[in-house]
Amino acid sequence: MIHLVIGTTATNSLKLSFRKKNHQIIGFPIDFSVGPLTDLHNTGGINDHFSWLSHSFKTSRRNIEEDKRNYQQALQKLFEIEDGEQVTIWTCENATEQVALRLFSYVLKEKQVELFLVNTFKAMHEYYKDKNCRVDIRHTGECNTDILKHFYENSRYPISDEIKGKYEQEGEELLNSRSYFRTWRQGKIVEEPESGEDSFILGCARRLHKERGNLGFIEAIRLVGLVLGESAHTLSDAWIEYRVRSLIHSGKLVYEGNLKSMSTYKIKVAESLKRG
């Protein structure tokens, strides 16, 4: 069995789950919800995506280059999957894993492989349905090794030809997309402007100001943490901080300190300066 999964944490957990079995785990260290997707299965598209990350995120260039190499290696393994293989795609109810599901399906469309799906969000509901409680997770990386093994054995379902065809078509559309930000809303991938969450970020900043009596600046890292925890969407801290800096450049936020990282500056909503 070959497993396709998104994120370092989920990849490592799956490797531990199946360390005693002859399973291959192919993990993709990438957030498909942000950045350019155009031709991300080809060299040009890969270069464009990671160049955008390098210029947009306050992440070390070394980390970005490492992620790029790991992504290229994982993509090559995906291309090398042979006819007759069984492939399990792991996903959850978030944009990055849902985009991945469709991109994987598109890349594999010419392969005669048997595709299976584990939706960890739905599997978690199945797991707890008789326990009189409900557990919601945001991404597969929240699942421990025992839970993942249970999901594989009890919540893995074949992908029908009809659904596979739908995923392949949507994957092709995504690889031709010009958007830079995608969310998962009511069972659909929605392409949004980069500023889509800016009003929410500003609302969180105003809330923090109010808690402090509208006095002083707020640590940027504290704002990022609040947005990360309370957004309806699964956003990365790097993306949120990118939008915080965009709000600074547009004059909606002001800052003091050094913008080299989210831990080295503080922010304040520009309108609050007039009041406080």
Side-chain angles (χ1 to χ4, degrees), residues 158-169:
I159 301 177
S160 69
D161 290 340
E162 179 182 358
I163 297 300
K164 183 173 181 288
K166 176 175 177 291
Y167 289 156
E168 290 169 359
Q169 180 181 348

Side-chain angles (χ1 to χ4, degrees), residues 205-214 216 218 268-269 272:
R206 294 187 186 100
R207 174 176 152 188
L208 290 173
H209 280 315
K210 187 175 181 181
E211 291 174 357
R212 290 192 177 185
N214 291 319
I218 302 161
K268 194 167 188 177
V269 179
S272 70

Side-chain angles (χ1 to χ4, degrees), residues 19-181:
R19 64 187 181 279
K20 296 182 180 179
K21 296 182 180 293
N22 187 27
H23 290 208
Q24 181 185 10
I25 315 299
I26 305 177
F28 291 77
I30 191 170
D31 181 358
F32 286 114
S33 70
V34 300
L37 285 182
T38 309
D39 291 330
L40 196 50
H41 58 320
N42 294 319
T43 300
I46 294 170
N47 290 337
D48 288 344
H49 180 88
F50 285 93
S51 175
W52 181 88
L53 288 181
S54 180
H55 287 94
S56 301
F57 286 3
K58 293 298 182 181
T59 306
S60 75
R61 186 173 297 275
R62 184 177 63 183
N63 290 342
I64 290 176
E65 288 300 319
E66 182 179 358
D67 283 348
K68 181 180 179 180
R69 287 193 299 272
N70 290 337
Y71 175 76
Q72 290 172 315
Q73 291 169 4
L75 188 64
Q76 184 61 36
K77 292 177 183 177
L78 180 61
F79 282 125
E80 290 173 353
I81 291 176
E82 298 180 351
D83 291 347
E85 294 282 7
Q86 291 186 323
V87 180
T88 295
I89 300 175
W90 293 77
T91 193
C92 196
E93 296 295 299
N94 60 60
T96 184
E97 292 184 74
Q98 291 292 333
V99 169
L101 167 61
R102 288 151 176 82
L103 298 189
F104 296 157
S105 297
Y106 175 76
V107 171
L108 293 171
K109 70 175 185 175
E110 302 299 333
K111 307 275 188 177
Q112 299 300 314
V113 296
E114 193 173 359
L115 283 184
F116 296 87
L117 180 67
V118 178
N119 184 313
T120 52
F121 181 89
K122 295 179 180 178
M124 192 67 79
H125 286 183
E126 291 179 13
Y127 182 74
Y128 280 100
K129 67 181 179 182
D130 296 324
K131 297 178 175 62
N132 295 321
C133 66
R134 175 186 173 110
V135 176
D136 289 338
I137 61 172
R138 289 194 167 200
H139 51 82
T140 299
E142 294 181 43
C143 303
N144 63 38
T145 56
D146 290 336
I147 286 288
L148 290 172
K149 282 192 289 188
H150 177 86
F151 290 169
Y152 176 76
E153 293 166 358
N154 298 278
S155 299
R156 178 173 58 99
Y157 303 103
I159 301 177
S160 69
D161 290 340
E162 179 182 358
I163 297 300
K164 183 173 181 288
K166 176 175 177 291
Y167 289 156
E168 290 169 359
Q169 180 181 348
E170 292 176 358
E172 183 175 16
E173 291 170 357
L174 287 165
L175 287 169
N176 286 300
S177 168
R178 298 294 175 180
S179 75
Y180 283 68
F181 180 45

Side-chain angles (χ1 to χ4, degrees), residues 226-254:
L226 180 61
V227 175
L228 189 66
E230 299 207 0
S231 173
H233 307 292
T234 305
L235 307 173
S236 70
D237 56 356
W239 171 261
I240 298 167
E241 201 265 336
Y242 164 65
R243 294 313 309 163
V244 169
R245 284 185 284 108
S246 296
L247 288 167
I248 290 171
H249 296 321
S250 67
K252 295 179 181 178
L253 293 175
V254 293

